[in-house]
Amino acid sequence: MKSILVLSAALCLTGMQARADNAAPTFTLNADEAPDPQPWSDPASFSYTKDKGSKAAIAADLAGRLDWALGPTTANTGFARLVAHRNTAAGSQTENYAAEAGLHFEQNTAPRGSTDPDDFKNAYYLFHDLSLAYVYETNFDDEADGCDATPRPAACVRSHQSSLRLKWTLQPYHYGWDTAPSFLDGAPTAASPAVAYAFGPLLTLFADDLVDAKAKNGLKPKGVVSGAAASLNLTLSPKILDYRFVFRASVQQTEAFQRPASRKTGFAGDSTLTKVSLDYDFGLRSFDAGPGWSPSIGISYVKGDDPLHGKLNRQETVFGVKLSYKSK
């Protein structure tokens, strides 16, 4: 398995070195890892809470991505991405970081060589992200059972682990699945409907090879977990005066096809994650497609498990500032 991961890394690096033009790269900032940020992608978020008699807590979800063209006439790109998920609240502890590199490529059913806009309007699209990531994660054990006390009980041991993760993410698309006219060509527009919408499915196939971990209770986690994560994502956005409310909802189901016995505790065989959020955008809107910063403030509710990002037994409501960015 390690030889496959090494080969995949070599392919990614070879593809990224194949850049054939001098077009400026595109930088985006949000909270998701889907191929290209979409209207239903969560913005990057940060929150700080301090209740009387309790510790202060922060929560942050960030994903910064840099794309560059692989040729002067292709939509295919190489990309690099840094991801951080951090939550210090007792019972919701998360610390997960990743550095990722890969290739983004696109397919469609339009006739080859066609220049008729209707052919592309009626076509079906499939977007791919093939990537290799180095992932660093902290294991928080029994945080709900007094491990947040000061001084920290000696029995509450935190350990760290790192892995190489190969991912292939697929995103199908057809005209009419959203009202963002920039989805295909990136053309900015000031026009947008009174109620904008977008939805889209995602499928991610993954293989996570643990390369470093500490033993716990005499058992050292090791080996490869492989599986798939499928999600359905929806956004509704009505205009309110000059700005927008944005309602986002998603359901993700993760299934592990293969799990070594030593990793079954930290990686469930199947898990479900539900996310719902309501934000008020008061800058450039994702549906208006223009470049620049798009600030918002809102509330998010998360319930379930996301083992790929170290979020287990999660049920939380977070209110905070959110931000997305696109350089062009």
Side-chain angles (χ1 to χ4, degrees), residues 206 224-229 253-260 267-271 307:
F206 63 86
V224 178
V225 173
S226 61
Q253 182 69 31
T254 303
E255 297 287 338
F257 304 150
Q258 170 188 306
R259 289 184 304 155
F267 207 111
D270 64 272
S271 55

Side-chain angles (χ1 to χ4, degrees), residues 108-114 119-120 123-125:
N108 65 68
T109 59
R112 184 179 295 273
S114 174
D119 286 339
F120 293 92
Y124 286 88
Y125 293 78

Side-chain angles (χ1 to χ4, degrees), residues 178-191:
D178 65 16
T179 54
S182 69
F183 193 99
L184 298 179
D185 58 16
T189 174

Side-chain angles (χ1 to χ4, degrees), residues 141-143 145-148 152-158:
D141 300 322
D142 302 323
E143 291 296 329
D145 298 326
C147 287
D148 58 335
R152 185 176 179 82
C156 296
V157 178
R158 291 179 185 173

Side-chain angles (χ1 to χ4, degrees), residues 30 32-43 127 169-173 177-178 183 197-202 231-236 246-250 275 277 286-287:
N30 66 345
D32 288 340
E33 300 177 47
D36 291 338
Q38 306 302 335
W40 37 262
S41 298
D42 286 326
F127 303 144
T169 301
L170 301 99
Q171 178 187 343
Y173 172 75
W177 288 8
D178 65 16
F183 193 99
Y197 69 89
F199 73 89
L202 281 177
S231 65
L232 185 62
N233 309 274
L234 170 69
T235 299
L236 292 174
V246 182
F247 170 79
R248 297 179 177 92
S250 69
K275 297 190 295 182
S277 66
S286 53
F287 287 96

Side-chain angles (χ1 to χ4, degrees), residues 51 55 60 76 95 126 129 145 163 171 176 179 220 254 279 286 303 314:
D51 296 329
K55 289 184 176 181
N76 301 334
E95 187 174 26
L126 187 60
D129 268 9
D145 298 326
S163 63
Q171 178 187 343
T179 54
K220 182 177 181 179
T254 303
D279 306 317
S286 53
K303 182 178 182 180
R314 194 55 46 88

